[in-house]
Every structure is written in C-alpha cells, then in structure tokens.
Amino acid sequence: MSESGINRRDFLKVLGLGGSSLALTGCGNTDVQSGVEVVMPNVHPEDFVVPGLSVFYASTCTQCGSACGVMGRVREGRVLKLEGNPESKISGGKICGLGQAAVQAQYNPDRLTQPMVKEGDKLVPTTWEKAMALLDDKTGPKSGISGEQFAFVTGATSGHLKALIQNYMDSLGSKNHFVYEAVSPAIGFAANRQVYGVDMPRLHLDKAKLIVSFGSDFLGTGASPVHFAREYAKFRKAPRGTLVQIEPKMTMTGANADRWIPIIPGTEGVFALGVANELLNHEEYVRATSPDIVALVRKYDRETVSRATGVRPELVAHVAALLWEKTPSLVISGASAEGHVHGVQNAMAIQLLNKILGNVGKTVDGQAQSPFPQIAPSAGSFAALKAMNDEMGGGKFKAVFIHGANPVFTAPSFMGFRENLRKAPFKVAFVDAIDETAQECDLVLPILTAVEDFGSHVAWYQPEGVEVSIQQPLMEKLHADTRSMGDIMLDLVKVRRAEEYKAWPDFFSYLKTAVVAVKPVVKYTDTDEHFWYDVLSHGLIQVDAPQQEVGANFAAAALDLSSSAPVQDPKFPFYLIPSERHNFRDGRHANLGWLQESPDPLTTVVWDSWAEIHPKTAASMGISEGDYLEIASQNGMLKVKAYLFPGIHPDAISIPLGQGHEALGRFAQGVGVNPFRILDPVFEKSTGEIAMYGTRVSVRKTGSKETVVKDEGPYNTQLGRKLVVTLPADVAQLSKEI
Amino acid sequence: MSITNLLNNWSFYRNKRPYRGQYDLNRQYGEYKWAMAVDLDICTGCNACTTACYAENNLPVVGKHRFEHGQVMHWIRIERYWDEKMGEFPEQGTSFLPMMCQQCEAAPCETVCPVAATSHTNDGLNSQNYHRCIGSRYCSANCPFKVRYFNWWNYPSTAWPAPLEDQLNPDVTVRTKGVMEKCTFCVQRLSEAKSRARTEYRLVRDGEVLPACAQACPTGAISFGNIVDPESKIAKMWKNQQVDLYKDMQEKDNTVRGYRILEDLRPFPSVMYMERVRDAEA
C-alpha cells in the first residue's frame, strides 16, 4: 500500500483497466473447462468499462524522444489505438506513423515474457526470484563491486526514471552512466552551445518567410517531427513561405522543398559561407558583422564555393538573393551537414547566416528553461559509448546494465563492441524483446512496454513552456512475468538505500509523490489527490518557465573551413550516406510489421534495405534497379540491391539505417543490411562524435539481381495524367482560401 | 442497403447519380454526404495516415513476398511521382499523392458487380458488403484509381500471430479469403457518430467525426465532413475551390487549387484534391 492507500492494481481498477484479463483470456477457456475458473455474466463490469464503448486515456508516446502527448483508445481493457492528445503543445492532437505502431510493440508476438539467464551460450528461462538473487549476488553489497567497476548504458533519457537511475548510480558510488544514442544530435548541440549558448534554440518555422535547411530533416527525423510538421503547415499557409533544402541525399523534408540543391557531402559550411559572402554585398549586413568575420567570409567567392561544393555558382548567389528578399528567414543545419570531421564548424558557418540576417531573436530564440534539472533530458551521444567501450575493452567493468539502447547492433564494427562486451563478466539487459545486445547478456529482464507502465518524460525540444509528459498504463500488463523498469530500479536502489526509499512500495507511488510535489510550481490549489488525477487525465504538466537567453557568438577562427575538403581515395570513390528513415530511426522499431510494410516515402521500398544511386552514376557503371551491389568501406562490406534515385548526389551512395537485424524477432530478423557496421572510424574533431557521413565506399556490381519490392509502379512519373497538379506560388491565392 | 431495396430501385441506384437534390439537410436519409479534401501542398508524404489506417481498419500485414505480387492491402497509399520535365535532379522536390477510395458518386465499380456487393449508401459512401461479395474482382478491374484490395489469402489465420490479434478493432470486421475490400471513410466511426447524434435529436456536428487518416495527419492536409451542411468546413472548402460535387469537366479560375482526379472519366469522386504549390522563383 502506498501513502494514499491505493496500490497500483486498485488504481488501474479505478481507471477501468482492471478487467483486461477477462478480455484477454476470452479465447482460451481451458481453465473454465477444467473448473478452475467460474464464468460470471458481466453484469457489473469494472468502472468506466462499458462493453462496446471506447474510453480514452492520456499518456505519452515513447517511440522517439519528442514525448508527444497521446490518447490511448481502450476497449474492454485492451488498448487498440493511439491518437494525438490535443492538449499537448508538442503533438497538438496529431500523431506520426511511428507513434501509431507503439501498440504493435505491445502485442508483439516476439515479446520477451519471462526473465532469461545465460547458460553456456544460450539464454534459458528463469524466475524473477532467481534473477533478482543473481543481480544481488553480482551487484549487491556482498559482491564487493565498486562504483568504478559498474557501468549503466541507456538511450536518451529524462523524467523520473532518469532520476531514479541517477540515484541508483549514486548509491553505488558510480559515475558511469553512459547515455548513448546511435543517431544523436550531439554535434548540433555543441555548435549551438558555442553560438547561442544553449543546446537547442527554439525555431519558429511559422514566422519565417523563407527556410533554408542544410540537411535538416525536420519533417521526418528531427527534434520533434510532429510538432515541426504542424509548424510547417502554418508556414505553408498564406503568405506561403518558401523552403530551400541543401543536402547530398533528398530527405522527406527535401522532397517538400521549393528548391532542392544537391551538394557534395561535407561542404555545406563552405556553401553557407559563400552565401554569407554574397549577402555581405549589402552594406547593412556588413555593418552588423564583425570585421574579422567579414574578412574570412570574403575568401568564399562564388567560383571557389562552386568548385568545392559542386553547386553551380549562380545558385550561391540565388540563395543569397532569396534570403535578402524574404525576411524574416530561418537557416537550419541538420544531420547531413553535421556528421563530418568539421561538423561543428559546418553547423556554425550555417548558423552564421542567421546572425547576419538578424534572425536571432526573431525566428531563432530560446526555449523555456526546465525548472527541474534532475528530470531534464539527456539527449545522448555516440562519444558516451566510445568512452564506455574503451574502458570496457580494458576489462574495467565487472557489471554492465543496458536499457533503451542496442549498441551491439548500432556500434560500428571497428569498435569491437560485441567483443569488448564479452569481457565484462556480468551483463544485464532490460528489454521488451530480445535484441542483439540482449543476446550477449548474462541476464535479460523482461520489462513492460510504454503502454503498460507509468513514467514521465521531458523532451529536449519544447515548443512552448516546459511540458512534463506523463505516461500512464493504458492497460493491465499483458504478460504476467514482466515488470516495470521503474519498479526494478526502485528495488535496486533500496538494496543500498532502503531507509530513504521505504515510503514507496513501487514506481507508481514514487512517481505520484514526485508529481504531487510539483503542485506548488504550477500554482495548483486543490488537494494532492485532485492534482494527481488532473495530471493523469490531461497527460501532462505544463510549466511556464522563463525563456533561455540566446546569444550569437561567432569567432572567425572557429569558422575557417579552408581545410575541410574531403580526403579523396581512389579506392573508395563514393561518399556513404547512412540515411535515417523516419519510421525506423536507429533500428529499434524494425520489429513492427506496420512499419516494415509502410513504404519509404521517397523510394516506396518495403521490407528491405536498398542502395540509392543516381541514375547517371548507375548508367556509367551499367547498374540497373535490383542489381546486387557490393558496397565496401575500409571496415566492412554490404551486399545490397540498387535503387536508381535521382535525389542523390552522383558521387554518393545512400543506404538507410535500421535494417539488418540478427535478432529482434520474426519481423526484423534477416531483413536487409545494417550500414552501421561498415562505418569508418572518422570522428567529429571537437566533440568526438562519430562522423556519420564521413565514410567512403567503393561500389561493385556483383552480377546477381533481384526485384526491388516497392509500392511504386513501373513508371515513376504521372505519364501526362493530371494526378498531382502543381501551381506556381505567384498564381495561387492562398489568402483567399478557407 | 437491403437487396430488396436495391433490386426494386436498380436503375435508380445504377444510373441517376449524382443529381441535384439527392442530398438535403431536411430529408431523412439525405442529410449526410461525406466528402474529403486533400491539400497536396502540405502533405509531406510521411505515411502517418497509412499506418493509422492499418491500426483502425484491421489491415493485414502481408509481408514482402505478397507485397511483391501486388497483394498489399493498404486502403490508403502515398503515391510518389517525379516531375516529367525533371533534369538531372528533382530540383522542385517530389510530388506525393495520398490515394484512397474516392467514394465516387457514379462509381465505376458499382455497376459491374454481379451481386451488388458494392453499392451506394444513403450518405454517399461507396460501400462494400463482404457477405455478399463473391470475389469476381470486376470492381477492382473497373476502378480507375486502383484502390480496391482483394483478399487472396486467409489473413485472419496468418496475419496476426498471437497476441497481435488483441489489437484488432472490434468495430471493424476482419475480412476473409475471397472478398474485396477498400477504404470506407472509417464508416464505423461515421455510424457511431450518426447514431450518437440521432439519440440527441441532432445532426452530426462539423468536426465531430474524422476518419483515422485525417485525425492522424500531422499537417492537417486531410479535411473531412458533411458536404450537405453548407456551414461545414468541407462544404465551404469545396465551394471556395470551385469544385461542385454534381458537375464534371469543371471550369475554374486558374488561381484556385481544387480539382478531382480523373474527373474526365465522370466518376464524380467525393475527394477533392488541392494543387501542390511550388515557388517557381526559388
């Protein structure tokens, strides 16, 4: 029993979720036949359960880090569908495909339903008692483990689970909490910190008349795709804004651009400085720019920039002319500009345009400052895993915990992560389905999915104020032998700090106490109980917090890109672009059938990996669609089918991330290839992040061929039919529309 | 619709649609005509709508092999077209087209069904009666939009390995082998809303009910409503875009964006598209 005299099960009953076992066992009535169970007519169903009627509960989507507020549609104790929560400033009542698919993770046939322990080289089922005893044996006070010898790897984290993990680390005296994201925003953050003094400024798409995006896929994979899609819709309403996208491979955002400009990977910064040079032909911009920067930028004339970037010289001037004409504008840098050795410099050169154009304070300003640092988000980085891996390779760690990350799958093979992980004598994975990393672990603990568990989340991109997103169970747990990650962490903290945590029997009561403690901050005057139910029914706590101050600090020395020219190696003539798909991200959702069958927006390919190659390049190499190509870097080779794609630089090859699983169940296993494996050890020089776009590859046609399975028909144009009609923006009269 | 009603009024249901006065707010069974508008300028091609449709309408995941053979069951799909005049690169991006059943008023699929398994409802939907369907597939052959999907396999027994079937929406049937299926404008949601409204002696309010695709769409590119009600947003949008449900081969000002796809085939679709806009100066 918790302080409030209500335990978790009772609480679920109050919410009308307690009846699920009835519905869930409805198909198999063996217990009834054997007389173990008595069938009762459902005359008095649980509160809020009206057979045939849906009830909606507010919660939070955890499929990516955006923390969109969602509403779960619950019927007879089962969650059936997620919709956006209109009260959420992040989702605004909308939801993406990735979010929709969360219910498939819940009912996944390949979910882990019981604890597993390694015997020999196989994982075999065990009980929670034995599992927790083993944990205590290896990491408890009697194990003699020191904080130094313990490591905890998590994915991006925030909220009260993060606080609890931190408290657990403190109880062990360990500082080894490594927050790892395979596709992380760390390079952009580093640039933003230098320029604006904050990790991530707030971007006002809706206020801009022109957006120039250097490889930022804000509609698909960026900071908060649903939020940015909503802002984008406002941006496209009258007076319609113009979008210019500059990137080596067309992203979903690029596909929606008014002007898409292909560029040699890594030269985005040079292009930005070239545009800056053109802008500085206007006296008012020169006055607002420091002389040393003006002197630096003057080196980047049209012809020089064109030679470096492969973009026609007149386009440099053209982009500058658009920026001069349409103010306020917004210039954004993104993954394909940042994933290079000089990624921070590239990003800063791009942000310099915002400074010159006076966008800072208009379309770029500060986010609200989270008043709760303990639950503030850690967005994660690659460098964290690299540091951890180096220490682990030296045999430093006796015990490693892993939650919310799959480094065996996402770490490039040059790191030897799998081998290093084997050097740690005791590895524990907390997962809902066995992935590549869990397969390597000695103990695998089955945890609840996001729709079964309590939690709290704070997104690192906050559109308005600070939204603490609250996650509540949308149904009773599906598998009896699974446990809440929060409950497990609480138990572990109590091993060493029983006295401090004795008030809370479970994570629910801990979270409730923590949430109720926020009451004064939001000036809520009713009782604690009312506040708690209020929070649950809205699914969020909206905190008005002061906005962060953003500066605009540029030093000429940090912007010099004269040494950024890519290293040419005739053996590896192509740039590898490991592109992030909006539904797959780093591959953790590859086991969801809906997402496998949801066509990639640009290629319409399903259930596979493919290599995007420009038709011109393909023609010169005699490659046609479906030809198997051997794509080799210095660190590995992938065999993958060719897809001829006009939206890519002719010197680049793109393979999407997320496929190529050896584990994760029937929908993911054996589908496609994993480009993470062949990345070269090229690092961003100031942050140590991996340069995702820094790998060079060779391409060889193997001679074998197979159909590319895709939604697109044999022709990829409209063949003169009036299917999608395009109207020039100066003809359309959007302001007269409804 | 009952088969008796259909047979008694065969020519009415087959030939006379659409005609002015067919829908009327003041007449029972004529007070609704569901219609849609899709703004192609803000559709980003993200596929949120298609996944939402899988979730709402119990669409089976068919797998790679069956997908390859054209047996995918997505009731709504995003078609992607490159510009025919494209040079080396797609410099104006690409074109996305969300394509679902257009709920044609003079539906080419309806006239060819030998058993009247597909016919028109009073609220203007092109309905599919799974019980009556014998799987001739004439409707699919006759559909100019290619939005009808045939169950070549017994998906109920294969597509939802336990416990995935717990996610199935109990408001929607799971279709078995040998029947045709297609987008219904989420008729289960419409029925529920109409029934709720009826018990409160009113009509369904504008915005009260949305199909799953329109509800999910992050940019709000899909609008939906009852076009019979002149005050509804959808009726105002159609009027503003100079698209008339009852007319074909329509002339409109060159500044408005509304059009219906393959209008010259005279199916009178209930879905209006709004032209994609591109800044030619950019």
Side-chain angles (χ1 to χ4, degrees):
Chain A
M1 299 294 276
S2 67
E3 288 176 323
S4 58
I6 180 168
N7 67 23
R8 184 163 178 276
R9 189 168 292 267
D10 285 343
F11 175 64
L12 283 168
K13 280 184 181 166
V14 169
L15 287 183
L17 303 171
S20 67
S21 58
L22 199 88
L24 293 171
T25 56
C27 298
N29 55 358
T30 51
D31 280 358
V32 177
Q33 284 160 349
S34 61
V36 177
E37 216 172 80
V38 182
V39 178
M40 295 282 285
N42 202 356
V43 180
H44 302 293
E46 303 283 347
D47 287 352
F48 296 110
V49 173
V50 183
L53 282 191
S54 307
V55 190
F56 287 81
Y57 293 102
S59 189
T60 298
C61 177
T62 62
Q63 296 283 89
C64 81
S66 309
C68 286
V70 293
M71 303 294 287
R73 178 190 175 210
V74 181
R75 255 190 71 168
E76 288 96 31
R78 288 181 291 139
V79 57
L80 301 178
K81 192 169 185 299
L82 300 182
E83 310 286 4
N85 177 358
E87 283 186 53
S88 163
K89 306 274 187 208
I90 300 169
S91 76
K94 298 299 185 180
I95 188 166
C96 68
L98 180 57
Q100 298 272 352
V103 288
Q104 279 216 319
Q106 162 71 351
Y107 299 111
N108 202 294
D110 299 312
R111 257 187 82 179
L112 181 63
T113 56
Q114 54 191 341
M116 306 285 269
V117 69
K118 184 135 288 171
E119 271 179 23
D121 59 353
K122 274 175 100 174
L123 286 168
V124 295
T126 184
T127 62
W128 274 102
E129 289 71 29
K130 285 183 187 163
M132 293 311 272
L134 183 63
L135 265 183
D136 197 49
D137 187 39
K138 301 285 187 184
T139 62
K142 287 185 194 136
S143 67
I145 195 170
S146 72
E148 284 283 283
Q149 294 166 329
F150 178 79
F152 205 141
V153 180
T154 66
T157 176
S158 69
H160 292 95
L161 185 63
K162 178 196 164 193
L164 209 48
I165 289 176
Q166 195 50 53
N167 294 353
Y168 175 60
M169 299 303 285
D170 290 348
S171 81
L172 268 162
S174 175
K175 293 187 169 28
N176 301 327
H177 180 193
F178 300 97
V179 183
Y180 164 60
E181 278 293 320
V183 187
S184 88
I187 297 173
F189 279 13
N192 289 339
R193 270 195 301 274
Q194 285 194 44
V195 173
Y196 301 120
V198 296
D199 278 350
M200 182 70 202
R202 190 162 52 154
L203 309 174
H204 295 281
L205 267 58
D206 55 329
K207 287 186 192 161
K209 288 193 182 136
L210 170 68
I211 297 174
V212 178
S213 156
F214 289 80
S216 169
D217 185 17
F218 55 85
L219 292 176
T221 57
S224 198
V226 174
H227 166 71
F228 279 118
R230 294 195 301 122
E231 294 295 293
Y232 169 82
K234 290 183 207 159
F235 164 76
R236 288 302 206 188
K237 293 278 155 80
R240 183 178 182 277
T242 301
L243 172 64
V244 175
Q245 185 89 1
I246 300 152
E247 59 194 0
K249 171 230 160 3
M250 186 178 272
T251 56
M252 208 169 81
T253 310
N256 288 288
D258 293 280
R259 167 70 81 158
W260 183 78
I261 301 175
I263 189 169
I264 294 174
T267 63
E268 293 84 351
V270 173
F271 189 89
L273 293 181
V275 173
N277 181 36
E278 299 287 335
L279 285 174
L280 291 180
N281 293 335
H282 299 283
E283 193 51 39
E284 57 176 285
Y285 290 148
V286 178
R287 275 198 300 275
T289 312
S290 70
D292 53 339
I293 288 185
V294 174
L296 172 83
V297 167
R298 287 292 179 218
K299 287 192 262 178
Y300 293 87
D301 63 89
R302 247 178 250 185
E303 298 301 327
T304 314
V305 170
S306 175
R307 272 194 303 277
T309 60
V311 180
R312 297 195 304 275
E314 64 270 22
L315 276 179
V316 183
H318 179 65
V319 173
L322 285 174
L323 284 166
W324 165 250
E325 187 188 321
K326 296 174 191 284
T327 56
S329 57
L330 173 62
V331 185
I332 317 175
S333 86
S336 65
E338 290 162 1
H340 300 279
V341 176
H342 51 282
V344 169
Q345 281 172 300
N346 253 359
M348 287 174 70
I350 291 163
Q351 305 292 2
L352 177 67
L353 293 173
N354 278 328
K355 154 96 170 155
I356 293 175
L357 293 160
N359 293 336
V360 182
K362 287 183 190 153
T363 54
V364 180
D365 68 8
Q367 288 192 52
Q369 174 88 46
S370 171
F372 317 110
Q374 250 196 306
I375 61 167
S378 305
S381 66
F382 170 84
L385 188 77
K386 187 155 156 273
M388 186 263 176
N389 185 51
D390 291 346
E391 291 182 33
M392 192 164 64
K396 187 178 157 192
F397 300 132
K398 280 191 175 165
V400 176
F401 285 9
I402 301 170
H403 168 64
N406 183 6
V408 171
F409 176 77
T410 53
S413 56
F414 72 78
M415 287 173 74
F417 185 86
R418 192 192 294 252
E419 294 71 30
N420 287 338
L421 186 64
R422 285 178 183 156
K423 290 181 189 165
F426 185 60
K427 289 94 61 185
V428 185
F430 305 85
V431 291
D432 61 5
I434 293 191
D435 57 19
E436 288 80 357
T437 307
Q439 272 185 336
E440 294 293 327
C441 287
D442 303 289
L443 184 63
V444 185
L445 298 178
I447 56 169
L448 302 181
T449 63
V451 296
E452 295 172 319
D453 204 358
F454 278 101
S456 59
H457 305 272
V458 184
W460 56 260
Y461 189 83
Q462 293 286 346
E464 202 179 320
V466 173
E467 187 168 315
V468 180
S469 311
I470 301 296
Q471 172 197 332
Q472 67 172 316
L474 300 172
M475 64 183 286
E476 188 68 276
K477 67 181 177 185
L478 190 58
H479 301 289
D481 245 2
T482 52
R483 285 193 73 196
S484 157
M485 183 66 192
D487 285 350
I488 301 172
M489 287 316 301
L490 196 65
D491 281 358
L492 290 174
V493 180
K494 282 181 186 169
V495 170
R496 288 184 173 80
R497 295 191 170 168
E499 200 52 35
E500 289 168 53
Y501 286 87
K502 69 175 180 191
W504 301 296
D506 51 23
F507 184 63
F508 157 69
S509 53
Y510 172 79
L511 182 71
K512 184 177 172 187
T513 312
V515 164
V516 166
V518 174
K519 204 174 78 163
V521 180
V522 293
K523 302 188 175 61
Y524 193 90
T525 49
D526 211 334
T527 64
D528 288 0
E529 270 316 273
H530 274 122
F531 180 64
W532 171 245
Y533 288 112
D534 207 36
V535 167
L536 284 186
S537 57
H538 294 279
L540 51 93
I541 307 170
Q542 184 70 34
V543 185
D544 293 324
Q547 192 175 311
Q548 290 173 329
E549 289 290 320
V550 293
N553 310 307
F554 290 92
L559 291 171
D560 194 353
L561 287 159
S562 46
S563 62
S564 72
V567 188
Q568 299 296 340
D569 182 344
K571 276 196 288 185
F572 300 100
F574 290 96
Y575 300 88
L576 176 69
I577 299 177
S579 56
E580 192 185 3
R581 287 179 68 183
H582 70 306
N583 273 348
F584 281 75
R585 304 303 175 100
D586 63 358
R588 68 185 71 181
H589 303 298
N591 61 343
L592 309 178
W594 289 346
L595 301 184
Q596 287 284 5
E597 202 148 305
S598 177
D600 175 68
L602 283 157
T603 62
T604 75
V605 181
V606 293
W607 289 101
D608 212 343
S609 291
W610 63 93
E612 286 162 26
I613 182 167
H614 194 274
K616 193 172 86 175
T617 314
S620 72
M621 298 175 74
I623 293 168
S624 56
E625 184 179 296
D627 277 335
Y628 268 105
L629 307 178
E630 274 182 10
I631 295 177
S633 73
Q634 290 182 34
N635 289 276
M637 191 270 286
L638 300 173
K639 216 173 139 192
V640 60
K641 280 179 259 185
Y643 178 87
L644 272 51
F645 184 64
I648 188 167
H649 194 280
D651 293 337
I653 296 283
S654 173
I655 308 176
L657 295 168
Q659 302 278 31
H661 280 278
E662 299 160 13
L664 213 58
R666 66 194 80 178
F667 297 117
Q669 229 162 318
V671 177
V673 297
N674 179 6
F676 278 119
R677 305 299 300 163
I678 66 166
L679 294 184
D680 284 341
V682 184
F683 301 101
E684 203 285 323
K685 62 189 171 192
S686 67
T687 58
E689 289 297 297
I690 190 157
M692 289 288 283
Y693 295 76
T695 299
R696 305 296 298 257
V697 290
S698 65
V699 175
R700 196 180 73 80
K701 191 177 157 183
T702 61
S704 60
K705 190 167 185 163
E706 203 182 89
T707 314
V708 175
V709 181
K710 53 177 187 171
D711 205 24
E712 154 186 78
Y715 302 99
N716 57 20
T717 66
Q718 303 179 44
L719 299 174
R721 292 167 299 175
K722 200 180 153 190
L723 303 179
V724 183
V725 184
T726 301
L727 192 67
D730 52 354
V731 178
Q733 296 187 345
L734 299 183
S735 58
K736 292 189 179 165
E737 288 187 358
I738 290 167
Chain B
M1 176 184 323
S2 76
I3 192 78
T4 320
N5 188 2
L6 188 78
L7 291 173
N8 287 343
N9 300 288
W10 189 264
S11 59
F12 171 83
Y13 284 107
R14 291 302 161 114
N15 297 322
K16 291 285 178 63
R17 287 169 168 268
Y19 60 91
R20 267 187 214 283
Q22 181 178 336
Y23 300 107
D24 185 344
L25 267 187
N26 301 313
R27 184 160 50 77
Q28 200 182 10
Y29 307 125
E31 64 272 60
Y32 298 110
K33 161 66 196 173
W34 304 109
M36 196 176 260
V38 182
D39 187 345
L40 297 179
D41 193 36
I42 53 173
C43 168
T44 63
C46 76
N47 272 301
C49 51
T50 62
T51 313
C53 186
Y54 270 75
E56 175 72 19
N57 290 306
N58 300 339
L59 304 188
V61 168
V62 301
K64 187 178 179 180
H65 179 72
R66 288 173 186 171
F67 201 113
E68 183 181 348
H69 291 83
Q71 295 166 1
V72 61
M73 305 298 283
H74 48 22
W75 287 3
I76 175 170
R77 61 174 185 258
I78 308 281
E79 297 178 0
R80 194 271 293 118
Y81 296 107
W82 298 113
D83 190 350
E84 274 153 55
K85 296 187 204 101
M86 178 175 71
E88 192 177 349
F89 299 108
E91 293 197 339
Q92 290 212 316
T94 187
S95 306
F96 293 115
L97 178 67
M99 178 53 73
M100 72 303 282
C101 174
Q102 306 286 299
Q103 312 290 351
C104 309
E105 272 297 312
C109 55
E110 291 176 13
T111 49
V112 292
C113 181
V115 292
T118 180
S119 55
H120 233 66
T121 68
N122 286 314
D123 48 0
L125 297 180
N126 168 245
S127 72
Q128 180 72 23
N129 188 329
Y130 306 127
H131 300 290
R132 210 180 282 161
C133 177
I134 56 167
S136 73
R137 294 178 278 123
Y138 294 164
C139 55
S140 174
N142 224 30
C143 172
F145 305 97
K146 290 288 163 277
V147 287
R148 295 184 146 264
Y149 300 92
F150 186 65
N151 283 276
W152 291 95
W153 306 94
N154 188 13
Y155 289 115
S157 64
T158 55
W160 294 276
L164 262 182
E165 81 274 16
D166 280 351
Q167 184 276 326
L168 291 174
N169 184 356
D171 293 342
V172 179
T173 11
V174 179
R175 286 76 58 183
T176 189
K177 184 175 172 176
V179 301
M180 191 61 75
E181 62 181 66
K182 61 162 202 77
C183 163
T184 64
F185 271 4
C186 287
V187 67
Q188 66 282 4
R189 293 184 177 203
L190 303 179
S191 301
E192 192 193 342
K194 282 199 300 183
S195 153
R196 188 171 53 234
R198 206 178 302 125
T199 59
E200 294 169 13
Y201 303 101
R202 60 173 174 87
L203 291 179
V204 175
R205 281 188 281 268
D206 194 27
E208 186 178 344
V209 60
L210 287 176
C213 53
Q215 187 175 10
C217 179
T219 57
I222 305 177
S223 307
F224 180 85
N226 177 16
I227 202 168
V228 186
D229 176 4
E231 293 307 308
S232 70
K233 188 181 168 215
I234 195 79
K236 286 179 181 165
M237 283 175 85
W238 277 57
K239 193 166 178 223
N240 178 262
Q241 297 291 347
Q242 303 178 4
V243 179
D244 187 338
L245 181 67
Y246 303 100
K247 278 194 189 159
D248 64 343
M249 318 285 274
Q250 298 182 60
E251 295 289 323
K252 62 180 176 72
D253 300 343
N254 66 348
T255 56
V256 299
R257 300 195 288 140
Y259 69 106
R260 290 187 287 181
I261 291 178
L262 303 183
E263 205 178 38
D264 43 350
L265 298 178
R266 308 195 74 214
F268 298 92
S270 306
V271 181
M272 174 186 77
Y273 288 86
M274 287 152 78
E275 294 171 5
R276 165 184 180 260
V277 181
R278 282 295 183 268
D279 186 349
E281 309 295 315

